[in-house]
């Protein structure tokens, strides 16, 4: 079965050092899923991520959720990658560390369109940030995040996001294939309002409507926490000993233009003294919606593409 | 002892064989004197097959002046000597030509379909096998592998399988390189039918050591080498069983490695979990017959490649589908979308390639 685009609320959480014990990370995830009545009956666990080499195999281990903590402890896992193993309705979590590139780790998820999953991850993000030291946590609507961060115009781009804006600067690379195939086409997204920014290898900042910025984030920012809190465009802020919560838009972003685009522009200017533009090459933020998938087009306006 | 010596070609061949066996210092009669009757008898037995092969070769030369140039003649002769006196390999101690003559002579083996003459024709006339023959160290490779196949197949080895093995060897297993030489993966080919990745630890070895296959492996090998469509990867191995998936995957992986990746600086990691080749990129090869049902399996392959590889290396999932590959666009789009949700997308390349194991 070919699943539809996984357009759900996804989140990521970055740790400066891999969180230990890993079984507690799982404990908080399972508790949150249980509270939301979304805990899968069976977990399909990859036996590579976080495993010592002697365990490495592409065979997946099917276990009950209550057995996972024991597995983590017995195998002394320092990372994991598991999913609910239900084709088309998969809920997946991955805690991966940067290996040779540093001590940092990132927890992420993948939620298929029809998966049984919470609508938001606020409670889990906050519980994890209260327990472990973090760089930050972000959540977003996946269709928008994928569109804005797509660096290659491929089959998936065209089918999910439509034609790329004509103003993109493009580069071409040979496709390394047995049969002649068109060149790979890469686009320069460095001024996209919804682009991610790499803070350190494998750890990225996302300009999202809700952000939880941990104590380790500020060393990468161009402003202080106090300066950020002093900005006048927040809908809500909360400063806690473990994280600072910023909310600048009532729902996850869906557009890089209009007021949403300008709000993302404010985030770039505040946190990194960087700018953005939409459409690409315009040097500004368009008032009118331009480009993108139909699902993200403003309600009430005719979709022109 | 010397009944074969009365035959002109046989005599010539004996001299070649004896020369090889004794470092070229003694004649057969001297072998008899030095080694006694048993060694001499053994020598005669070994050479009986060579005589036949040799005579076919010489007949061909007489019949057709262009049947071989000096290099080919020398290579063929070296191969003949080797196959007359040396065992197949460390686990098959019988002499190559003895194994073949025994196989060709058994009841039910139709020598009109395959015999020494056909073997000679294959060695001299098939484009890649002839290059292998002419290559240093390649003079006896096909003959050895044919005798290895005969040993593995046992009673199932027949003339059709022998005939088709030559075709499959020439078109699939022996791979032409850009510099005009050839490479081969005979041992890996035979091991692939074990359906077990651990068998592939020495897939690229020249050991001639694979001698046993399970009944399932033998049946699969027999199907792959049988008429009417020998060497058809996608027809032989559908996705009905785990075993089929494994064998098909290994054969395609070996073929693609030899045809494409090896010459571009990649190393083969045949039994590594999550990846197949390392080099400029870390590459995982997957075969997919029906792209409409493969998403979950390919998503797992993406995940395994990311988890197993170093964080700073470019990654590539190279999916092979039956040509022309028209129905793979939805799978490609779904995987592009999936990879687009992962931080590793910046270093990830996904290629879906129409692939036939016969180039």
């Amino acid at each position: 079965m070919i699943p539809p685009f996984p357009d759900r609320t996804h989140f990521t959480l970055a740790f400066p050092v891999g969180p230990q014990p890993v079984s507690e990370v799982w404990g908080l995830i399972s508790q949150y899923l249980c509270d939301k009545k979304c805990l899968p009956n069976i977990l399909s666990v990859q036996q590579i991520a976080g495993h010592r080499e002697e365990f490495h195999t592409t065979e997946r281990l099917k276990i009950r959720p209550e057995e996972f903590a024991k597995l983590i402890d017995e195998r002394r896992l320092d990372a994991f990658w598991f999913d609910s193993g239900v084709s088309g309705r998969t809920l997946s979590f991955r805690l991966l560390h940067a290996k040779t590139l540093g001590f940092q780790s990132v927890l992420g998820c993948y939620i298929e369109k029809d998966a049984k999953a919470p609508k938001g991850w606020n409670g889990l993000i906050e519980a994890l940030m209260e327990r472990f030291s973090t760089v930050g946590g972000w959540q977003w609507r996946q269709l928008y995040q994928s569109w804005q961060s797509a660096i290659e115009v491929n089959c998936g781009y065209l089918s999910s996001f439509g034609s790329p804006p004509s103003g993109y600067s493009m580069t071409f690379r040979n496709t390394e294939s047995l049969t002649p195939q068109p060149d790979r086409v890469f686009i320069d997204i460095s001024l996209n309002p919804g682009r991610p920014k790499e803070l350190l290898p494998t750890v990225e900042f996302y300009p999202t409507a809700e952000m939880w910025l941990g104590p380790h984030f500020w060393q990468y920012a161009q402003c202080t926490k106090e300066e950020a809190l002093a900005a006048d465009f927040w809908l809500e802020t909360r400063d806690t000993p473990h994280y600072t919560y910023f909310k600048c838009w009532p729902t996850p972003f869906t557009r890089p233009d209009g007021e949403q685009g300008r709000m993302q522009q404010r985030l770039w200017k505040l946190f990194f003294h960087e700018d953005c533009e939409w459409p690409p090459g315009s040097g500004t933020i368009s008032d009118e919606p331009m480009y993108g998938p139909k699902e993200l087009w403003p309600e009430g306006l005719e979709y022109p593409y | 002892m010397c009944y074969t010596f009365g035959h002109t070609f046989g005599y010539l061949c004996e001299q070649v064989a004896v020369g090889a066996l004794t470092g070229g210092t003694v004649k057969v009669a001297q072998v008899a004197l030095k080694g006694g009757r048993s060694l001499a008898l053994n020598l005669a037995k070994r050479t009986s097959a060579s005589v036949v092969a040799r005579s076919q070769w010489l007949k061909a030369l007489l019949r057709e002046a262009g049947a071989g140039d000096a290099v080919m003649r020398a290579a063929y002769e070296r191969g003949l000597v080797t196959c007359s006196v040396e065992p197949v390999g460390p686990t098959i101690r019988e002499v190559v030509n003895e194994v073949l003559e025994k196989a060709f002579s058994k009841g039910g083996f139709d020598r009109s379909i395959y015999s020494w003459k056909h073997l000679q024709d294959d060695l001299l006339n098939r484009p890649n096998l002839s290059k292998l023959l002419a290559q240093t160290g390649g003079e006896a490779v096909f003959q050895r592998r044919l005798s290895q196949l005969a040993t593995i197949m046992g009673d199932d080895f027949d003339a059709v399988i022998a005939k088709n093995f030559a075709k499959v060897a020439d078109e699939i297993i022996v791979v032409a390189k850009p510099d005009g030489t050839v490479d081969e993966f005979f041992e890996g080919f035979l091991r692939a039918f074990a359906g077990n990745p651990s068998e592939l630890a020495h897939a690229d070895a020249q050991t001639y050591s694979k001698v046993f296959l399970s009944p399932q492996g033998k049946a699969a090998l027999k199907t792959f080498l049988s008429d009417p469509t020998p060497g058809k990867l996608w027809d032989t191995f559908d996705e009905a069983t785990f075993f089929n998936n494994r064998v098909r995957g290994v054969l395609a992986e070996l073929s693609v490695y030899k045809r494409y990746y090896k010459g571009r600086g990649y190393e083969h990691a045949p039994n590594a979990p999550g990846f197949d080749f390392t080099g400029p990129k870390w590459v995982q090869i997957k075969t997919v017959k029906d792209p409409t049902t493969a998403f979950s399996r390919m998503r797992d392959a993406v995940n395994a490649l990311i988890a197993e590889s170093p964080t700073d290396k470019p990654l590539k999932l190279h999916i092979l589908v039956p040509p022309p590959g028209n129905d793979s666009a939805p799978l490609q789009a779904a995987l592009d979308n999936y990879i687009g949700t992962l931080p590793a997308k910046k270093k990830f390349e996904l290629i879906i390639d129409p692939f036939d194991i016969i180039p």
Side-chain angles (χ1 to χ4, degrees):
Chain A
M1 166 188 177
I2 302 293
F5 193 92
D7 188 18
R8 300 284 294 268
T9 302
H10 286 64
F11 79 96
T12 195
L13 192 58
F15 305 90
V17 176
Q20 287 287 352
V22 170
S23 55
E24 281 193 31
V25 178
W26 159 244
L28 291 169
I29 293 171
S30 64
Q31 186 61 54
Y32 188 72
L33 293 175
C34 198
D35 291 347
K36 300 290 182 184
K37 302 191 179 349
C38 296
L39 187 64
N41 295 326
I42 294 290
L43 303 182
S44 172
V45 180
Q46 188 199 68
Q47 299 187 77
I48 299 174
H51 284 73
R52 296 196 305 277
E53 202 156 338
E54 70 212 62
F55 290 110
H56 284 204
T57 168
T58 51
E59 303 298 315
R60 297 180 75 90
L61 196 63
K62 301 276 173 75
I63 58 171
R64 295 196 306 277
E66 56 269 29
E67 297 171 317
F68 193 31
K70 192 177 166 208
L71 181 84
I72 290 170
D73 288 338
E74 279 180 357
R75 293 190 177 184
R76 287 179 278 142
L77 302 191
D78 59 2
F80 56 68
W81 200 330
F82 67 87
D83 61 53
S84 57
V86 183
S87 181
R89 292 184 284 122
T90 296
L91 173 63
S92 170
F93 291 87
R94 57 180 184 274
L95 174 68
L96 301 176
H97 43 67
K99 299 180 189 170
T100 55
L101 298 182
F103 297 109
Q104 61 274 21
S105 278
V106 175
L107 175 67
C109 64
Y110 168 73
I111 310 160
E112 286 189 334
K113 190 165 183 287
D114 298 320
K116 201 173 165 188
K119 287 182 179 167
W121 299 98
N122 303 45
L124 176 60
I125 291 170
E126 290 170 11
L128 285 163
M129 293 184 85
E130 284 165 12
R131 174 63 185 84
F132 301 102
S133 186
T134 57
V135 178
W138 297 266
Q139 70 176 349
W140 56 74
R141 183 168 167 182
Q142 189 60 50
L143 187 57
Y144 180 69
Q145 209 278 324
S146 285
W147 172 39
Q148 286 290 293
S149 63
I151 56 168
E152 185 175 0
V153 179
N154 49 28
C155 195
Y157 189 105
L158 297 170
S159 67
S160 297
F161 315 133
S163 297
S166 55
Y168 268 134
S169 163
M170 295 186 176
T171 51
F172 301 86
R173 269 189 238 157
N174 285 340
T175 300
E176 294 183 1
S177 55
L178 300 168
T179 52
Q181 296 200 17
D183 282 350
R184 299 176 72 191
V185 180
F186 291 87
I187 47 180
D188 177 8
I189 63 160
S190 60
L191 289 175
N192 277 10
R195 69 186 184 269
K197 179 183 175 67
E198 186 172 88
L199 302 178
L200 67 166
T202 74
V203 172
E204 292 181 321
F205 164 88
Y206 301 86
T208 48
E210 288 179 287
M211 295 182 288
W212 292 260
L213 302 179
H216 291 269
F217 168 74
W218 302 102
Q219 63 188 301
Y220 306 106
Q222 294 292 319
C223 67
T224 63
K225 183 170 78 174
E226 291 68 29
E227 287 169 336
L229 283 166
D232 62 1
F233 52 80
W234 303 116
L235 295 177
E236 181 185 345
T237 58
R238 243 184 311 130
D239 194 20
T240 78
H242 304 287
Y243 60 87
T244 309
Y245 172 70
F246 296 92
K247 184 172 185 176
C248 64
W249 201 257
T251 56
F253 290 130
T254 55
R255 296 297 317 168
D257 33 40
E259 273 310 306
Q260 286 193 42
R262 278 187 281 278
M263 183 58 76
Q264 290 161 79
Q265 190 176 40
R266 290 187 195 106
L267 298 179
W268 285 114
K269 286 183 173 172
L270 172 65
F271 287 116
F272 299 106
H273 298 176
E274 291 182 16
D275 205 348
C276 56
E277 63 178 15
W278 194 264
S282 68
T284 186
I285 298 292
S286 166
D287 289 334
E288 302 302 319
M290 296 186 76
Y291 302 104
K294 192 175 182 180
E295 294 85 344
L296 300 181
W297 199 251
E299 278 184 31
L301 287 181
E302 189 181 346
Y303 185 63
Y305 302 109
Chain B
M1 173 184 109
C2 294
Y3 62 95
T4 56
F5 285 46
H7 194 291
T8 308
F9 305 134
Y11 177 76
L12 288 170
C13 187
E14 282 294 354
Q15 299 315 307
V16 173
V18 170
L21 198 65
T22 61
T25 56
V26 292
K27 296 281 186 275
V28 173
Q30 291 170 298
V31 172
L33 287 172
K34 285 175 74 174
R37 182 175 167 74
S38 65
L39 176 57
L41 277 174
N42 195 30
L43 181 60
K45 185 180 165 197
R46 287 180 183 186
T47 53
S48 62
S50 310
V51 169
V52 182
R54 173 68 177 216
S55 66
Q56 292 294 350
W57 160 251
L58 291 176
K59 280 180 196 169
L61 282 182
L62 292 172
R63 188 173 63 240
E64 190 182 337
D69 59 18
V71 173
M72 290 295 285
R73 275 200 303 277
Y76 184 82
E77 218 165 76
R78 286 197 304 274
L80 194 66
V81 170
T82 301
C83 294
S84 301
V85 297
E86 288 192 6
V88 177
T91 49
I92 308 172
R93 298 306 299 166
E94 278 183 285
V95 170
V96 177
N97 280 350
E98 277 180 46
V99 174
L100 290 178
E101 180 55 32
K102 208 184 287 178
F104 293 171
S105 303
K106 73 177 181 184
F109 193 98
D110 187 347
R111 293 184 83 122
S112 69
I113 294 174
Y114 208 81
S115 68
W116 293 105
K117 177 187 181 311
H118 302 92
L119 171 59
Q120 173 192 286
D121 287 345
D122 285 331
L123 288 169
L124 295 174
N125 299 326
R126 287 192 178 271
N128 286 335
L129 286 185
S130 62
K131 281 183 188 162
L132 179 64
L133 177 78
Q135 210 161 281
T136 306
E139 305 92 346
V141 170
F142 178 70
Q143 302 92 306
R144 281 190 139 142
R145 294 301 183 184
L146 184 62
S147 56
Q148 188 183 6
L149 175 74
T151 306
I152 290 172
M153 296 299 288
D155 290 342
D156 288 328
F157 185 74
D158 61 25
V160 172
I161 286 177
K163 175 194 75 172
N164 289 336
F165 184 61
K167 173 184 161 60
V168 165
D170 186 64
E171 295 177 351
I172 296 173
I173 304 170
V174 181
V175 180
K177 292 177 11 184
D179 64 3
T181 63
V182 291
D183 197 357
E184 49 89 357
F185 56 94
F186 280 105
E187 187 70 19
F189 173 83
L190 294 170
R191 286 169 178 262
F193 288 86
N196 179 357
S198 65
E199 285 268 355
L200 291 170
H202 306 291
D204 216 14
Q206 308 296 315
T207 56
Y208 305 85
S209 57
K210 184 66 188 166
V211 290
F212 177 77
L213 282 177
S214 67
Q216 188 181 24
K218 265 166 77 169
L221 181 54
K222 188 174 180 179
T223 305
F224 194 70
L225 295 176
S226 291
D227 287 340
T229 55
K232 291 292 182 187
L233 187 75
W234 300 105
D235 294 342
T236 307
F237 305 105
D238 59 19
E239 284 174 9
T241 66
F242 182 69
F243 176 83
N244 274 359
N245 254 335
R246 273 269 167 83
V247 179
R248 186 183 65 199
V250 169
L251 288 176
E253 176 185 320
L254 290 166
S255 172
V256 169
Y257 178 63
K258 295 290 186 177
R259 273 157 63 176
Y260 187 86
Y261 285 98
K262 190 175 179 184
R264 289 170 170 80
Y266 286 85
E267 295 284 330
H268 191 194
N271 55 354
F275 64 91
D276 294 315
F277 313 137
T278 58
K281 296 172 185 166
W282 282 48
V283 181
Q284 171 71 286
I285 300 290
K286 287 287 175 188
T287 54
V288 169
K289 185 169 185 182
D290 180 3
T292 63
T293 61
F295 175 74
S296 294
R297 191 161 67 91
M298 294 304 103
R299 189 189 60 209
D300 286 349
V302 170
N303 296 352
L305 180 54
I306 290 171
E308 188 65 62
S309 57
T311 327
D312 57 343
K313 296 290 183 191
L315 309 178
K316 178 178 179 182
L317 176 60
H318 194 163
I319 300 174
L320 308 175
V321 297
N326 295 338
D327 56 352
S328 60
L331 175 65
Q332 175 118 29
L335 286 170
D336 284 338
N337 286 336
Y338 175 64
I339 294 163
T341 69
L342 302 168
K345 66 182 165 222
K346 286 183 287 189
K347 59 176 189 169
F348 211 100
E349 178 183 8
L350 169 69
I351 300 292
I352 300 186
D353 237 341
F355 171 76
D356 198 331
I357 199 165
I358 298 176

